[in-house]
Amino acid sequence: MSEKLDIRESLPADWGSIEALYPEAFPDEDLLPVVRDLLQDTAIRLSLVGVINSQIVGHVIFTTCGVADGSSESKAALLAPLAVAPAWQRQGIGRAIVHAGLRQLEDMGISLVCVLGDPNYYSRLGFVPESLVEPPYRLPAEWDGAWQSQRVGTLTIPYSGKLSVPRQWLRPALWAS
């Protein structure tokens, strides 16, 4: 990538460009309802854009969540969705945006980030299969290995239990295909 990538928090003025990005990156999935819902709820999310030459070429949302172990709830985050414009894929933009988000989450006191995604991609970003933190809904068997996590920072909080997600993620269709 010879162009300079700037990563910053998204602004309401970016929403049109963000909404245009998802159908390009995921033509077979309709992620716009959850993206729109998450963008409007600034209290529960971190939304970052990657910008090259004043054009938004990538976007990620991290939603703050909890892990309920029966006696307490620890802070965690869910990485989803992540999109990079097709013309800019395979140039490290997704990696850069995710890593910028992980650094900000660490500063926010979050030390576990979960994702439901392609293990081949997310393993390159440092994610590993997650077995102690359950997703909010049972996943299809063919998605074995797609539920992953990454510890961030130096805190070693023992996470175990079910990921408690905000209302935007309480839609079973988002967890099964």
Side-chain angles (χ1 to χ4, degrees), residues 20 57 102 126 139 144 165 168 177:
V57 297
L102 294 175
L139 301 176
D144 187 43
V165 295
Q168 290 88 342
S177 182

Side-chain angles (χ1 to χ4, degrees), residues 37-38 40-41 44 137 165-171 174:
D37 204 359
L38 289 168
Q40 293 182 23
D41 197 342
I44 60 140
Y137 297 95
V165 295
R167 66 168 177 76
Q168 290 88 342
W169 291 110
L170 291 175
R171 301 177 196 163
L174 294 172

Side-chain angles (χ1 to χ4, degrees), residues 127-151:
F127 287 84
V128 296
E130 177 58 62
S131 61
L132 298 177
V133 175
E134 299 172 43
Y137 297 95
R138 171 169 271 142
L139 301 176
E142 62 268 18
W143 289 5
D144 187 43
W147 181 241
Q148 302 156 82
S149 69
Q150 182 173 153
R151 304 303 195 265

Side-chain angles (χ1 to χ4, degrees), residues 22-44:
Y22 282 89
E24 286 180 37
F26 299 100
D28 299 330
E29 296 181 55
D30 184 11
L31 296 172
L32 288 181
V34 73
V35 169
R36 287 178 182 134
D37 204 359
L38 289 168
L39 286 174
Q40 293 182 23
D41 197 342
T42 58
I44 60 140

Side-chain angles (χ1 to χ4, degrees), residues 17 19-28 55-56 83-87 89:
S17 296
E19 288 183 11
L21 182 64
Y22 282 89
E24 286 180 37
F26 299 100
D28 299 330
Q55 177 187 0
I56 292 177
V84 175
Q89 291 177 0

